[in-house]
């Protein structure tokens, strides 16, 4: 039998099934037997214990797993849920049902919003079931213990379960629920476990049954023959390290893979990971703790430190991006109601041109000391006037290669006017997404809109790609999107010519590029552009990309 689902990761595993116990049942809608105050006390104790358990699990892990568990711990103490459940107890419900109904209302609200919010509903459901299990005095279903390695099969896995998996024992995960962006998928990817989510047929699998979990193909094969096992193992390239070769697509199209750096600390490590240069050196590190602008010679030394490991290579530096969440006293802090829409980036520098001039002088001096191929770009450029201002000033101070980051939607819309003025452009997908979807990137409540897979963001990226091609100007991507392997391929299909990301992500992106030709990247891009939502674009591209491998 073959069970289909959505594969996560590139690995393949063969092993015996071990099923996770079913989640605790829905509590009966019974009236409380005790008085309201003792029932309320029971409720608060169960929620506090649930929050404490989730927090202590968060402390054992890092990265996305920690964030998810910490968010769940907060959900368990959410005042809206507590108020709602308390009111239900006061009206006569037992604590078990009161907490179940209170979380249920909250969950339905998230589901109604749809998209990524709906996927967070599963995390909420897990918190609810944990609290109900405590109130009922039954154990929360845990990942089964075994002294032999196994393939874990479950209806769904809560982040708390995925985070606590014993990687020596769990070979792969198969769940009936879930999607590519559910936390099971995100955490499985982070832990490099092959997984198949949305495999509705997996409810048929029994303990002890041998299965092959083929994540790239998105299938579980039950009771496989020897030949089937050997076949998938031979095709498994997931553990083969991808040597840090220069970035390229499957047809040989070169795609420089560059590093995003926040200071000099990671520069040498980035070279070791195969960074072919720096695509974004954020320079705020030099200014954030200063009461006054650092001197030209102090800046020169610090830039030279970051440049040295990249002698002879391209290093693109972004001048100070102050304002919004990075207010600097010496730029004259003024209160703004909406600082992200205020005097930030180039706007702030233009009012303090001496700060900008000093920075450009220091960058040119550091280039002379280290022999890098320096490019300097301005953040938050809105139109051709701002572009021309920056290009003229930077060239007059000796910068040979001058560019802009495209992160304000107006600059993407006007990219055909801007491209002929510059030597390169770099799409800042973090801010471009924030401004395109009117979703503050610092605000958790609109995080679902902060998704660079959104076709609106991709359509703007296409305008930039087209303009770059017409003007013969390279187009980089330096936002987080460049480090999402499949989205990176889509961005190349839209006309990007180089990618810059956190150095740790270079390996996965390098490996993904080698699976697609430029023509295929363009096909994926066309598919993504035609979708109605970020989730649809991601899902359609994930499915279509499988045929390229
Ligand atoms: C961006 O906005 O995509 C970007 C790279 O800049 P930052 O995240 O520093 O704003
Ligand atoms: Mg930005």
């Amino acid at each position: 039998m073959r069970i289909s689902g959505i594969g996560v990761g590139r690995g393949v595993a063969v092993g015996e099934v071990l099923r996770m116990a079913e989640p605790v049942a829905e509590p009966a809608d019974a009236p409380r037997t005790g008085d309201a105050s003792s029932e309320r006390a029971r409720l608060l104790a169960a929620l506090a214990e649930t929050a404490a358990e989730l927090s202590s699990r968060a402390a054992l892990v890092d990265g996305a797993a920690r964030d998810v568990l910490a968010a769940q711990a907060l959900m368990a103490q959410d005042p809206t849920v507590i108020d709602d459940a308390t009111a239900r107890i006061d009206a006569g419900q037992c604590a078990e049902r009161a907490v179940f109904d209170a979380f249920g209302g909250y969950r339905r609200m998230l589901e109604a919003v749809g998209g990524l919010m709906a996927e967070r509903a599963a995390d909420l459901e897990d918190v609810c079931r944990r609290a109900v299990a405590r109130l009922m005095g039954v154990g929360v279903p845990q990942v089964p213990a075994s002294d032999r390695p196994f393939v874990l099969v479950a209806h769904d896995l809560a982040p708390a379960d995925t985070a606590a998996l014993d990687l020596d024992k769990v070979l792969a995960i198969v769940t009936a629920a879930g999607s590519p962006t559910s936390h099971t998928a995100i955490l499985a990817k982070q832990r490099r476990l092959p997984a198949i989510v949305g495999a509705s047929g997996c409810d048929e699998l029994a303990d002890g049954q041998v299965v092959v979990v083929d994540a790239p193909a998105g299938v579980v094969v039950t009771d496989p023959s020897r030949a089937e096992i050997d076949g998938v193992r031979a095709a498994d390239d997931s553990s083969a390290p991808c040597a840090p070769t220069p970035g390229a697509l499957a047809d040989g199209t070169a795609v420089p893979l560059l590093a995003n750096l926040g200071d000099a600390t990671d520069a040498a490590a980035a070279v070791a990971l195969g960074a072919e240069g720096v695509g974004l050196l954020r320079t705020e590190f030099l200014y954030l703790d200063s009461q006054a602008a650092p001197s030209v010679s102090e800046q020169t030394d610090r830039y030279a430190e970051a440049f040295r490991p990249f002698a002879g290579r391209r290093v693109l530096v972004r001048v100070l991006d102050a304002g919004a969440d990075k207010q600097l006293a010496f730029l004259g802090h003024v209160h703004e109601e909406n600082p992200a829409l205020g005097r930030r980036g180039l706007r702030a520098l233009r009012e303090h041109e001496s700060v900008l001039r000093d920075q450009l002088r220091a960058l040119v001096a550091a280039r002379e000391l280290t022999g890098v191929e320096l490019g300097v770009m301005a953040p938050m450029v809105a139109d051709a006037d701002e572009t021309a201002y920056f290009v003229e000033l930077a060239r007059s101070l000796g910068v040979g290669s001058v560019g802009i980051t495209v992160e304000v939607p107006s600059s993407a819309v006007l990219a055909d006017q801007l491209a002929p003025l510059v030597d390169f452009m770099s799409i800042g997908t973090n801010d471009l997404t924030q401004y395109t979807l009117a979703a503050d990137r610092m605000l958790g409540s609109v995080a679902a809109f902060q998704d660079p897979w959104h076709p609106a963001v991709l359509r703007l990226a296409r305008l930039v790609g087209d303009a770059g091609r017409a003007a013969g100007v390279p187009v980089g991507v330096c936002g987080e999107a460049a480090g999402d392997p499949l989205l990176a391929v889509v961005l190349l299909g839209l006309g990007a010519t180089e990618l810059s990301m956190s150095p740790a992500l270079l390996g996965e992106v390098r490996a993904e590029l080698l699976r697609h030709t430029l023509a295929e990247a363009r096909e994926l891009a066309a598919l993504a552009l035609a979708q109605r939502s970020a989730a649809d674009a991601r899902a359609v591209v994930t499915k279509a990309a499988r045929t390229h491998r």
Side-chain angles (χ1 to χ4, degrees), residues 53 120 280 452 457 461 495 524 530:
E53 184 214 343
R120 299 300 84 92
L280 169 63
V457 178
L524 295 179

Side-chain angles (χ1 to χ4, degrees), residues 260 280 282 284 318 321 326 344 407 427-432 441 478-480:
N260 284 359
L280 169 63
R282 293 180 166 99
E284 292 74 46
R318 183 181 71 191
D321 183 15
K326 301 164 225 155
R344 64 170 288 201
E407 51 190 347
I427 307 177
T429 50
N430 306 337
D431 277 312
L432 187 61
R441 61 192 271 195
C478 62
E480 290 302 306

Side-chain angles (χ1 to χ4, degrees), residues 215-391:
V219 291
V220 181
V221 182
T222 59
D223 308 312
S225 65
R226 187 73 250 163
E228 278 174 310
I229 293 176
D230 291 346
V232 288
R233 282 210 165 124
D236 179 13
D237 62 359
S238 62
S239 54
C242 189
T245 48
L249 287 161
D251 56 10
T253 306
V255 180
L257 293 179
L258 311 169
N260 284 359
L261 298 179
D263 55 33
T265 327
D266 292 336
V271 174
L273 289 165
E276 296 166 60
V278 176
L280 169 63
L281 173 63
R282 293 180 166 99
T283 55
E284 292 74 46
F285 74 98
L286 261 172
Y287 298 83
L288 284 178
D289 297 329
S290 315
Q291 288 309 309
S295 69
V296 173
S297 74
E298 188 187 335
Q299 290 188 55
T300 305
D301 292 348
R302 306 285 297 276
Y303 297 138
E305 208 185 316
F307 290 2
R308 236 166 239 122
F310 292 95
R313 304 195 206 188
R314 239 158 102 69
V315 173
L316 308 183
V317 181
R318 183 181 71 191
V319 294
L320 178 62
D321 183 15
D325 53 319
K326 301 164 225 155
Q327 294 287 352
L328 299 179
F330 61 85
L331 292 187
H333 175 60
V334 278
H335 175 74
E336 295 171 329
E337 279 304 326
N338 294 302
L341 302 180
R343 204 189 49 137
R344 64 170 288 201
L346 186 61
R347 301 169 188 179
L349 286 174
R350 225 175 153 171
E351 284 181 23
H352 298 270
E353 199 181 277
S354 62
V355 173
L356 176 56
R357 285 176 176 271
D358 280 356
Q359 186 172 23
L360 292 168
R361 285 192 191 101
L363 288 167
V364 169
R367 177 192 68 195
E368 298 309 310
L369 286 174
T370 57
V372 296
E373 236 184 79
L374 176 70
V376 180
M377 54 190 172
M380 298 297 298
V381 171
D383 60 19
D385 276 351
E386 284 193 331
T387 305
Y389 162 78
F390 181 70
V391 171

Side-chain angles (χ1 to χ4, degrees), residues 11 87 93 101 105 114 161 188 218 263 267 289 328 396 403 475 511 540:
Q93 264 186 337
D101 286 345
D161 301 322
D263 55 33
D289 297 329
L328 299 179
S396 75
V475 173
V540 166

